[in-house]
Amino acid sequence: MKLFITGGTGFVGKSIIPILIKNGYHVYGLARSEASVEKLRALGAVPVRDDLTALSQNTVNALNKCDFVLHSAAHMDLTYDKKPFYRMNVEATKELLRISEENGISKFIYISAAPVIPGSPIVNQTEAQAGTDLPSALYPKTKAIAERLVLAANTDSFKTLALRPPAIWGPNNHHYEDLMKNVKNGKWRWIGGGHQILSTIHVKNLANAVLAAFVSNKGGEAYFVTDGDRRSMRHTFTEILKAEGLEPGDKELPRSIAVVMAHIFGGLWKLLGLKSRPPVMPLMIRLMGTEFSVSDTKARRELGYTNAIDFEQGIQELKK
């Protein structure tokens, strides 16, 4: 079984590749730089030197050898600069879909994101309950557009699926570097107290969902995948931070004040055309200051998805 993966040197990719190999998959990984080539080799994958935003014959040659594609690469940032979001998340996905189908790929799995659904708060929401509007923030908006392209491409001979993980966690997660920096500097505040429920998924559980998706005969569907329990954002991140030797403290920021600050900073950044990250923005409030919980019953029922690890085991793994 041979597959082609994008984003293989990111947090998700580098965590999943060894699990795929252990389960019998021969992995080809897209590599934009020589540094990425070496990282993929160290993980046990075959590097394919190319640029996702300008795919060449190198990728076509690799796809001709593969049965499956796992598309996990994305531009994920907290800025208001539209171009990189649309170039990477939408246009690159559209092109990868096209050449994958043309070159005999039988199944295309897209790592989407739970926030592609609109609305706030989100309370134990299922796929059937989700609205059809696009979210406003650039990251979930462009991921939602890409997800729609993926699902629309599904045919009997070219199966496509989208997995929608919420907050992904696990060892060596660089996405939490800013959080840890703020904790170290004493700048961390629990928005609204942090007691709202936040769905999460350990990266090993996400790997299990990917494995289940590859062997499933389903196509044209999107699936929420989570750790399967309900925990407050405060409990989750307190345990993660403590496992890293950090104490987040009890300082809080009222949600109402955070919302006002987010809109003020957002207005300024848009007005001035700034491409840097603002201190706070509405997407942060939506995901970290308001309940965001989804149900993965559909994935467990239709794909046969099961956990590889529970929350307590994941925390012990972080401590090691």
Side-chain angles (χ1 to χ4, degrees):
M1 297 178 289
K2 297 180 180 180
L3 69 88
F4 180 83
I5 184 173
T6 69
T9 59
F11 167 59
V12 169
K14 69 185 180 183
S15 301
I16 288 181
I17 285 176
I19 297 173
L20 292 171
I21 293 173
K22 184 178 179 181
N23 280 272
Y25 289 88
H26 188 74
V27 179
Y28 291 80
L30 189 69
R32 187 174 181 178
S33 65
E34 281 303 316
S36 294
V37 166
E38 294 306 316
K39 290 177 182 177
L40 286 168
R41 282 182 180 148
L43 291 168
V46 178
V48 179
R49 187 67 190 271
D50 215 343
D51 185 336
L52 184 59
T53 61
L55 294 172
S56 72
Q57 189 64 34
N58 286 350
T59 295
V60 171
N61 293 341
L63 291 173
N64 275 318
K65 301 174 184 177
C66 294
D67 307 296
F68 308 133
V69 166
L70 176 60
H71 182 29
S72 70
H75 181 74
M76 182 180 180
D77 206 346
L78 296 172
T79 67
Y80 290 100
D81 186 6
K82 294 182 179 180
K83 289 183 179 180
F85 286 100
Y86 279 90
R87 184 173 63 248
M88 176 70 79
N89 297 351
V90 179
E91 295 305 322
T93 299
K94 184 177 181 180
E95 179 64 6
L96 182 60
L97 273 170
R98 182 186 69 80
I99 64 174
S100 295
E101 184 174 14
E102 288 180 357
N103 288 277
I105 294 299
S106 61
K107 180 159 286 188
F108 188 107
I109 305 300
Y110 178 56
I111 303 297
S112 184
V116 297
I117 60 174
S120 184
I122 300 295
V123 181
N124 206 31
Q125 197 163 103
T126 66
E127 295 84 354
Q129 294 168 336
T132 57
D133 294 336
L134 291 172
S136 57
L138 282 168
Y139 173 68
K141 181 178 183 178
T142 52
K143 291 287 285 185
I145 294 171
E147 181 189 275
R148 294 180 185 189
L149 292 172
V150 170
L151 300 183
N154 181 69
T155 66
D156 289 341
S157 59
F158 182 59
K159 298 286 188 182
T160 62
L161 283 178
L163 299 177
R164 294 172 172 175
I168 308 172
W169 65 289
N172 304 311
N173 186 354
H174 66 274
H175 296 299
Y176 292 161
E177 288 177 357
D178 286 345
L179 164 62
M180 293 182 186
K181 181 179 178 181
N182 286 333
V183 170
K184 291 176 182 177
N185 294 338
K187 297 180 180 179
W188 176 252
R189 301 291 186 275
W190 299 106
I191 299 174
H195 301 295
Q196 61 279 357
I197 301 298
L198 173 68
S199 287
T200 65
I201 185 167
H202 191 281
V203 71
K204 286 185 177 179
N205 288 336
L206 180 55
N208 253 24
V210 169
L211 291 170
F214 277 138
V215 300
S216 168
N217 62 0
K218 296 292 183 179
E221 297 283 341
Y223 296 88
F224 292 124
V225 286
T226 77
D227 287 324
D229 56 358
R230 288 175 61 81
R231 283 175 270 110
S232 72
M233 182 259 191
R234 187 164 185 155
H235 175 64
T236 296
F237 284 101
T238 294
E239 293 303 310
I240 289 174
L241 289 165
K242 285 184 176 180
E244 298 285 351
L246 298 172
E247 175 54 62
D250 297 319
K251 294 179 180 178
E252 300 181 1
L253 177 65
R255 185 181 181 280
S256 57
I257 294 177
V259 170
V260 171
M261 291 172 60
H263 285 289
I264 290 174
F265 282 117
L268 285 172
W269 257 246
K270 290 178 182 178
L271 178 66
L272 300 175
L274 300 177
K275 297 182 178 181
S276 59
R277 296 182 184 181
V280 63
M281 60 192 305
L283 181 58
M284 298 180 191
I285 310 302
R286 183 186 182 216
L287 300 181
M288 302 188 75
T290 315
E291 176 159 351
F292 192 97
S293 62
V294 293
S295 168
D296 64 7
T297 301
K298 180 182 174 183
R300 294 179 185 272
R301 180 181 68 249
E302 296 186 5
L303 301 181
Y305 162 61
T306 58
N307 284 43
I309 192 170
D310 64 25
F311 182 67
E312 290 72 21
Q313 291 169 330
I315 294 298
Q316 291 305 313
E317 184 181 68
L318 286 179
K319 291 179 179 179
K320 293 178 183 179

